[in-house]
Amino acid sequence: MKNLEQKARELRDKTYNQLIERRGEKGKNFVRGLKSFKFLPFSWKRGNLLEYFYAVMRCADDIADRDAPLFDGFNSPEEFVKSVKEFVDWGGNNPKGDFEKTLFYCFQLSEELGFSLVKESKDILSSMLFDAERYSNKCIRQVFSEKKLKEYFYHMDISGTVKASLKIFGDNPNKFELLEPLGIATRIHYNLEDYQEDVNKGFINISKEDIDKFNIDIFNDIQSKEIQNWFYAQANKGMKLLDEHRGIMEKTSFNWRVLLTLKKIYEEPTREYFLSILK
């Protein structure tokens, strides 16, 4: 168990350093928020699980997106993500390599706390596989329907990340759909903030319907009138979703861990970003 914990710490620290290197001050603030959770009352084990699970999924996502190097023994991000997904599909037992050992350790910690993260991990990894596979065709720059992109983001953000977070925070995971407006708003934030970087890699996160609606035919020019109009419309949509989220929170009971984390880690930074576009 000690060896597994050490592997988890090493992967977490490596992932944090890569995040800070890419995101600068925003990355530091995000990491600081994750680290602070375990110092809240009765939250030490849950806080460690939050950090390790975030780190292992962040690491896999970075590999799928070509933001981090592959682990030894793999020839492509698709092969890596498929291998991890197969490991989880078979129950997350008998881990091989540092990555699987860290994920296995997360599963052990969650079981000690009385829940499983296997289903949520499957959903998150299925979305990562979508990214890994569409990158391989970047010369084509694949465009997807709004329905397909929504399905992809739903598995990553709502049924995956949000539901897992509710379990880790000790709240009812069946409430995860109530947090869908915040999850969608946060995804809009990430898509806009990472737009140029994603396009350079070949990822187009603009739906086919929006491409037609805003007459977008050149994706690389972020300052073009068409792209800027789309940015503005997306930020407006995001603000409405955040307002919808606030209304839901006023009518629904979540524990204090959830309320604090949602507000400080997700809602406030996302609202601030949208306002910077709309000003």
Side-chain angles (χ1 to χ4, degrees):
M1 191 77 166
K2 269 192 172 181
N3 182 50
L4 289 175
E5 185 176 7
Q6 181 61 34
K7 295 292 184 186
R9 286 178 178 172
E10 290 172 359
L11 188 142
R12 176 199 62 190
D13 293 345
K14 180 180 178 181
T15 302
Y16 280 174
N17 289 336
Q18 290 173 341
L19 178 64
I20 291 170
E21 185 178 338
R22 288 176 55 220
R23 300 287 184 181
E25 197 61 34
K26 288 184 179 179
K28 284 183 182 179
N29 291 336
F30 189 82
V31 169
R32 194 177 295 119
L34 288 175
K35 286 183 174 181
S36 67
F37 180 78
K38 63 175 174 279
F39 296 105
L40 298 172
F42 313 110
S43 300
W44 185 260
K45 183 177 285 190
R46 292 181 184 276
N48 279 324
L49 175 57
L50 175 67
E51 287 195 71
Y52 296 144
F53 189 68
Y54 170 80
V56 76
M57 290 301 169
R58 175 79 270 163
C59 176
D61 193 43
D62 285 346
I63 291 173
D65 291 348
R66 276 65 174 179
D67 288 327
L70 280 166
F71 284 92
D72 291 340
F74 297 97
N75 296 313
S76 69
E78 300 100 290
E79 182 185 342
F80 169 74
V81 177
K82 284 179 181 177
S83 176
V84 176
K85 190 173 182 301
E86 185 176 308
F87 166 70
V88 175
D89 286 342
W90 283 96
N93 297 309
N94 303 315
K96 299 175 184 178
D98 292 349
F99 183 91
E100 288 186 3
K101 286 178 181 177
T102 299
L103 188 51
F104 176 70
Y105 183 58
C106 290
F107 292 159
Q108 285 190 323
L109 288 179
S110 66
E111 287 175 8
E112 290 174 11
L113 289 165
F115 57 86
S116 169
L117 291 174
V118 171
K119 173 61 170 62
E120 291 73 25
S121 298
K122 289 180 182 180
D123 281 359
I124 294 170
L125 288 165
S126 69
S127 292
M128 292 181 188
L129 185 57
F130 174 77
D131 263 355
E133 290 178 337
R134 65 175 172 155
Y135 180 91
S136 64
N137 294 312
K138 70 174 185 175
C139 58
I140 303 173
R141 276 196 174 156
Q142 294 170 292
V143 170
F144 297 93
S145 68
E146 184 175 348
K147 180 181 178 182
K148 180 65 177 177
L149 288 175
K150 186 175 181 180
E151 177 187 345
Y152 153 63
F153 293 134
Y154 182 87
H155 287 309
M156 172 68 84
D157 302 322
I158 313 301
S159 64
T161 302
V162 168
K163 196 171 183 181
S165 298
L166 286 173
K167 288 183 175 182
I168 294 171
F169 296 147
D171 212 319
N172 182 355
N174 292 326
K175 297 178 183 175
F176 77 97
E177 290 186 335
L178 294 172
L179 297 176
E180 185 169 351
L182 178 63
I184 296 173
T186 302
R187 174 51 54 187
I188 292 172
H189 171 194
Y190 293 160
N191 284 346
L192 297 183
E193 192 169 51
D194 295 342
Y195 179 82
Q196 192 65 64
E197 184 180 343
D198 286 343
V199 168
N200 291 342
K201 294 176 192 169
F203 296 150
I204 303 298
N205 288 321
I206 308 177
S207 69
K208 184 180 184 305
E209 292 86 345
D210 275 357
I211 288 172
D212 294 338
K213 178 179 179 180
F214 291 94
N215 297 312
I216 299 170
D217 56 4
I218 299 176
F219 298 100
N220 283 332
D221 186 4
I222 195 172
Q223 297 302 326
S224 71
K225 177 183 176 182
E226 292 80 8
I227 296 294
Q228 285 297 304
N229 285 343
W230 179 75
F231 260 64
Y232 193 86
Q234 287 289 292
N236 259 321
K237 178 180 178 181
M239 288 295 287
K240 290 177 182 177
L241 286 164
L242 290 178
D243 290 341
E244 182 182 348
H245 167 71
R246 279 192 173 177
I248 291 171
M249 298 304 282
E250 290 172 359
K251 302 173 186 175
T252 311
S253 175
F254 287 92
N255 72 37
W256 59 273
R257 295 188 187 96
V258 174
L259 294 174
L260 182 62
T261 303
L262 292 181
K263 184 175 181 180
K264 294 297 181 182
I265 301 295
Y266 296 104
E267 183 183 354
E268 289 184 354
T270 298
R271 189 177 294 276
E272 181 181 351
Y273 179 79
F274 290 152
L275 288 173
S276 73
I277 293 175
L278 297 172
K279 66 181 180 181

